[in-house]
Amino acid sequence: MRIEEDVLFIGRKAVIADVHLGLVRHYDSELIEKALGVAEKAETLIVAGDLKHLGRRGQYERFMREVGGITELILLRGNHDIGLDCEKAIRIGKYGVFHGHAVPDEDILDAKFLIFGHAHPAYFIRDSAGGYRDRVFLTGEIEGGKRVVVLPAFNDLCASTAVNLDRPVGFMFRRYGYKEWYAIMFDGTLLRI
């Protein structure tokens, strides 16, 4: 696994989450261009939930046509993806990928590495003006020696949870707790939470 900005690569497969097309409609074109850049580097692009926002389709058809025209595109169901044809989760060898708002099947939870979105993790950085939130990956270990990677929102206009101040949302954090976790900034800096 490796990270490039807000994208997780598993070999030649790229995983993103929380695109939220339609959140701010004039920004959809930039999100699609950004996704096209990722698609050019990957044989498969997996969107781990919330391709669209709150029932709005935004430029969903354009995303599917253009991004799907460059690479294999796999959509996983997020809590905002009502009406889309999506899979619930996917297993790629030792990796289980899902959105994070609902409990996936046991074969996904049995994976050594669990990768999901939904929580929109960020890290609050104090500065002279008060501070700001910087989107991050969140990683930790849960029972059974499983590693967890929580994806940042691909859409940088989404609200985020400062994981060094607040507990992220989702069943994984309720079920497994939140100890010995780290934030990984896009430049690779590791921050203990």
Side-chain angles (χ1 to χ4, degrees):
M1 282 188 299
R2 74 180 195 286
I3 61 171
E4 287 184 21
E5 297 276 327
D6 48 4
V7 181
L8 179 72
F9 282 88
I10 303 169
R12 301 253 315 125
K13 293 176 177 23
V15 186
I16 62 174
D18 300 294
V19 179
H20 288 278
L21 290 172
L23 175 68
V24 179
R25 291 178 190 254
H26 68 272
Y27 190 57
D28 283 358
S29 289
E30 288 181 48
L31 285 170
I32 292 169
E33 291 301 318
K34 184 177 164 185
L36 286 168
V38 174
E40 289 174 353
K41 300 178 189 177
E43 66 185 24
T44 304
L45 176 60
I46 301 165
V47 179
D50 288 354
L51 176 60
K52 64 187 186 94
H53 184 73
L54 294 175
R56 298 180 188 151
R57 293 186 76 88
Q59 292 190 35
Y60 165 77
E61 289 85 5
R62 178 179 166 213
F63 183 97
M64 297 300 292
R65 182 180 62 253
E66 293 184 19
V67 176
I70 292 177
T71 190
E72 176 187 22
L73 187 57
I74 298 173
L75 302 181
L76 304 180
R77 182 167 314 287
N79 53 304
H80 289 271
D81 294 323
I82 299 163
L84 298 186
D85 185 22
C86 303
E87 297 182 43
K88 184 175 180 182
I90 189 171
R91 179 91 183 248
I92 305 166
K94 59 186 177 183
Y95 304 97
V97 185
F98 54 99
H99 181 58
H101 72 294
V103 180
D105 295 334
E106 283 302 314
D107 66 314
I108 300 298
L109 287 176
D110 285 342
K112 182 174 176 146
F113 293 92
L114 302 176
I115 300 166
F116 57 95
H118 184 60
H120 301 201
Y123 195 89
F124 185 77
I125 299 170
R126 295 189 192 287
D127 65 12
S128 60
Y132 62 95
R133 293 171 192 241
D134 206 358
R135 292 175 304 134
V136 295
F137 288 84
L138 184 59
T139 188
E141 189 172 302
I142 60 173
E143 65 185 43
K146 295 177 192 290
R147 298 290 307 167
V148 172
V149 177
V150 184
L151 304 164
F154 189 72
N155 185 334
D156 56 348
L157 298 181
C158 284
S160 57
T161 300
V163 296
N164 55 326
L165 301 177
D166 298 310
R167 184 182 195 113
V169 297
F171 83 93
M172 290 296 290
F173 303 104
R174 288 188 306 274
R175 179 183 279 189
Y176 297 110
Y178 191 66
K179 297 179 185 173
E180 298 296 319
W181 285 57
Y182 296 87
I184 304 171
M185 300 186 79
F186 294 172
D187 68 0
T189 302
L190 193 65
L191 302 167
R192 186 171 181 158
I193 300 174

